[in-house]
Amino acid sequence: DPVQRWVRQLAMLSKQLQQVHPNVLAKILKQETLYQNEEIVVINKPYGLPVHGGPGIKNCVTDVLPILAKMLENMKAQPLHLCHRLDKETTGVMVLARSAEVAERVRLLFKTRQVEKTYWAIVLGEPEPPEGIVDIPIVEKEVQSHQSHYKMTLAPNYRLSPEDRRVVKIRKNRNAESAVTRYRRLASSSACSLLELQPITGVKHQIRVHLAYGLGCPILGDHKYSHWSKLAPQKLPAITLRRLKLEQSKARHLPLHLHAHRLSLPLGQQLDLACKPPLFFQKTLKKLELDIAKD
C-alpha cells in the first residue's frame, strides 16, 4: 500500500541515521558535499542528524568530522571544524572549515551578519501580508502544564490596549533577544504555503517561533511550536491530510519542513552556495500542489 509505505518512510526519517556506523555516515556526508576548496567544505545536512552529541544520540555531525576529512580526496586530513549550526530537524547548506583560523573567520561573518541565509519552509495557512518583516524579540520560557517543558516564545515590545485598542509600549524583558525575520510567500495551495525566509538575526528556533506565534503559520511538521501549552502532534486541515494521504493519527510522523536553501558567504570572493530540498520535502510540495519556478 503506497500510503502505508509513505507513512513508514516518514517514521523512519529521523531514526535511520542514528542506526548506521559512523564511517557510513561520513560517506553519506561526503556524497552530500556541495562545494570545497582549500579553506572550507560545504555539505547538505540530512534530516534528523544532530550537529552535537547528547543523551541518546549515537551519531552527530561533530563526531564524524575527522573521518569525513580523511575521505575528502587530495586534501590534508586535518579534522574539519564547525562554523555554525542547524537544528537536528533542519536540512540544507552547512559550512565546515579546514582549520581553526578559517572557522573563526566564518563564525565572525555569521556573528556580524555578513552571511545572507535563505531558507524554504512549508507552512500551514497563508501569511498576511504575503511578504514582510517580523521584528519581535524572543525569549525562552517554561510552559506550565501537566508536562512542564521549555519553549522559545515572543516577547513583544508593544501590545494593544484592551480598552481603546491603542498601541502601548511594554516594559522590555531583559532576557529577550532581538529577532528579525524577512519572509515572502512563493506559492499557496491545499491550506498551506511555501515561504522563502531570511533570518537577519540568529536566535534559537527563531524562524519556527516567528512563523508559528508571529504570523500564525506554523511550519508543517513542527509539533513543538504548533501549540503553546502542550506537546502534541500538529493538527492539520482536512484538505492537507487528504492531499498528503495521511490520517490525523499519523500526523506525528510528519517531519519538519524547514530547509536551509542558500548561503551567500563573503570569504575572499562572494560564494553563493545552494542546494535542493530533500526528497520528502519535494514529495510534499508535489502532493500539496505547491508549484514554484525551478531554482
Side-chain angles (χ1 to χ4, degrees), residues 171-191:
R171 200 178 70 199
K172 223 180 178 113
N173 184 319
R174 59 197 168 88
N175 297 321
E177 292 184 73
S178 169
V180 182
T181 309
R182 180 184 286 157
Y183 72 92
R184 180 167 71 98
R185 194 184 74 203
L186 300 177
S188 286
S189 173
S190 320

Side-chain angles (χ1 to χ4, degrees), residues 198-256:
Q198 285 183 315
I200 312 300
T201 51
V203 179
K204 178 184 172 185
H205 295 174
Q206 173 182 318
I207 291 176
R208 295 166 67 178
V209 172
H210 272 173
L211 291 180
Y213 302 150
L215 290 171
C217 295
I219 297 175
L220 185 66
D222 195 348
H223 308 292
K224 180 167 186 164
Y225 288 108
S226 290
H227 319 272
W228 169 250
S229 58
K230 56 184 177 176
L231 290 168
Q234 188 175 51
K235 190 102 172 64
L236 298 177
I239 185 168
T240 310
L241 288 168
R242 201 162 59 244
R243 290 269 167 86
L244 288 175
K245 296 188 166 57
L246 273 184
E247 294 167 30
Q248 179 57 47
S249 61
K250 304 289 187 208
R252 68 183 186 278
H253 296 310
L254 266 182
L256 183 79

